[in-house]
Amino acid sequence: MRNPFNRSGYPYGSKKRITPEGEPLEGTGRSRSLVRIVIPVIIGIIIVSIIAVSSVRIVDAGNRGILVQFGNVATDNSLDEGIHFVIPFRDNVVQMEVRTQKIVESATSASKDLQDVSTQVALNYHVNPDRAQVLYQQLGPDYANRVIVPAIQESVKQVTARFNAEELITKRETVKNQIEEQIKTRLGAYNIVVDALSITEFQFSPQFTAAVEAKVEAQQRALQAQNELRRIQIEAQQNEAQAIGEQKANIARAEGIKQSNVLQAEGEAQAITIIDEQLKNNPTYLEWLKATKWDGVLPLVTGGGSGGQGNTPFIDIPTTSNNTANASALP
């Protein structure tokens, strides 16, 4: 039986394929078959990868995922932090931050006494995590400029108009609380939670600032004068108390001296009485007294003694009459 293939491996009667250089092409059919198989596989892998990537969404920490289906926001719930699987090409996930954020805003208004005042407040707030999808549906991502800034402006103007310029300073805590309550009420309707509000600055007109400084200086001078008057009064009271104390001390000292003199006089009177009694009862006592009183110097005049007694120096012997005279001379 005749071989249907020639030496080149091609069937008889088929056209031999050669390269532009005249060399025969071998295995071209097999290569084309392999390409036809590989290309669809690669395309399929790429399509599957795209679908797989499109079906996975990651919600970052401190955020909530808002599920949007063909432009329609799913308001039933929001996606928590982590990995979520969605339907590709239909679902889209928009992230919204629910951590505490800060906004600083200034508002110019008039006080109750028609003084211009500029108030700067710092507001800390966060989006309600359970209602983030509703907030996104109603206001979108630019909710701060749409509702928060106008709420701060209006609340500050309403509250500052209730107080005088001076009260805005002296009642700062009350003013802050009222502004915070108004902002909470306004933003609560949009599922925005107010964490804290601080009044960072009050600025008044230059004329009012100068008037306040003048008033403060006058009050300080008045307080200084009161303190000086109080010091003078205290010093006067101290001097008066010191004079009274010295007077009482002098009186007490005089009373002590007087009492001492009285006691001394009484002691001397008692001594004279005892001497008189001794003279009456014992005549020799006079001789003993003379001996104890004599200083050893003879007087210029001596007198004769009676009763056989010799001449003795003159000495002063206390008597009852002398005691009486001394006692009467005491104060």
Side-chain angles (χ1 to χ4, degrees):
M1 184 176 179
R2 185 180 176 181
N3 186 7
F5 299 96
N6 56 22
R7 295 179 179 180
S8 300
Y10 295 95
Y12 285 103
S14 62
K15 187 176 180 181
K16 184 178 180 181
R17 297 180 180 182
I18 59 176
T19 62
E21 291 79 9
E23 297 179 357
L25 292 175
E26 297 181 358
T28 303
R30 296 178 183 178
S31 299
R32 287 188 174 183
S33 300
L34 183 61
V35 170
R36 291 174 182 176
I37 296 174
V38 171
I39 290 177
V41 171
I42 294 175
I43 293 174
I45 293 174
I46 293 174
I47 293 174
V48 171
S49 300
I50 293 174
I51 294 174
V53 171
S54 300
S55 63
V56 176
R57 291 291 184 271
I58 298 176
V59 179
D60 297 334
N63 291 265
R64 288 294 184 271
I66 310 302
L67 185 62
V68 182
Q69 302 172 342
F70 291 126
N72 183 30
V73 177
T75 58
D76 296 336
N77 57 6
S78 59
L79 304 180
D80 296 332
E81 305 167 356
I83 299 177
H84 299 274
F85 294 95
V86 297
I87 299 176
F89 309 109
R90 188 199 73 171
D91 297 341
N92 185 27
V93 176
V94 179
Q95 299 198 42
M96 179 170 286
E97 187 173 3
V98 295
R99 288 175 291 196
T100 299
Q101 303 180 65
K102 176 184 176 181
I103 183 171
V104 178
E105 189 67 22
S106 297
T108 303
S109 60
S111 61
K112 188 176 181 181
D113 53 353
L114 302 180
Q115 295 291 336
D116 293 333
V117 54
S118 177
T119 307
Q120 186 180 74
V121 298
L123 178 67
N124 295 104
Y125 68 94
H126 70 273
V127 176
N128 186 352
D130 298 330
R131 304 288 292 173
Q133 67 278 6
V134 178
L135 174 63
Y136 181 82
Q137 182 189 40
Q138 293 177 347
L139 301 175
D142 193 27
Y143 60 89
N145 291 326
R146 292 187 177 185
V147 295
I148 296 180
V149 172
I152 293 175
Q153 292 278 345
E154 184 63 22
S155 299
V156 169
K157 291 179 180 180
Q158 285 185 1
V159 174
T160 53
R162 302 172 186 171
F163 297 88
N164 295 331
E166 184 177 355
E167 291 176 341
L168 291 176
I169 300 175
T170 58
K171 298 181 179 179
R172 188 187 187 100
E173 187 68 20
T174 302
V175 175
K176 180 190 79 70
N177 292 336
Q178 292 189 12
I179 294 175
E180 184 175 355
E181 288 300 322
Q182 286 218 12
I183 294 178
K184 281 183 178 180
T185 303
R186 289 175 177 270
L187 298 185
Y190 297 100
N191 302 299
I192 300 174
V193 180
V194 175
D195 296 324
L197 181 134
S198 302
I199 298 177
T200 57
E201 187 178 6
F202 273 132
Q203 287 186 350
F204 300 93
S205 63
Q207 295 81 3
F208 178 77
T209 303
V212 171
E213 291 177 355
K215 181 179 180 180
V216 171
E217 290 178 359
Q219 290 176 347
Q220 290 177 348
R221 288 195 297 268
L223 181 61
Q224 184 178 0
Q226 291 178 359
N227 293 335
E228 185 68 18
L229 178 60
R230 188 177 297 110
R231 183 186 64 80
I232 295 173
Q233 292 176 348
I234 293 174
E235 290 181 355
Q237 292 175 357
Q238 291 177 347
N239 294 334
E240 181 181 358
Q242 184 178 359
I244 293 174
E246 292 178 354
Q247 181 181 5
K248 290 182 178 180
N250 293 333
I251 294 174
R253 192 180 301 109
E255 290 291 337
I257 294 174
K258 179 180 179 181
Q259 187 68 22
S260 176
N261 293 335
V262 170
L263 294 176
Q264 183 179 0
E266 291 178 352
E268 292 178 354
Q270 292 178 0
I272 291 171
T273 303
I274 294 173
I275 292 172
D276 289 341
E277 291 294 331
Q278 291 295 332
L279 290 174
K280 293 178 181 178
N281 297 329
N282 189 2
T284 59
Y285 177 70
L286 181 60
E287 296 297 331
W288 175 82
L289 187 59
K290 291 178 180 179
T292 57
K293 291 291 184 177
W294 185 41
D295 58 0
V297 180
L298 293 176
L300 299 177
V301 181
T302 57
S306 61
Q309 297 180 1
N311 295 329
T312 59
F314 290 104
I315 61 173
D316 186 14
I317 299 175
T319 60
T320 305
S321 59
N322 292 335
N323 180 45
T324 303
N326 292 333
S328 61
L330 293 174

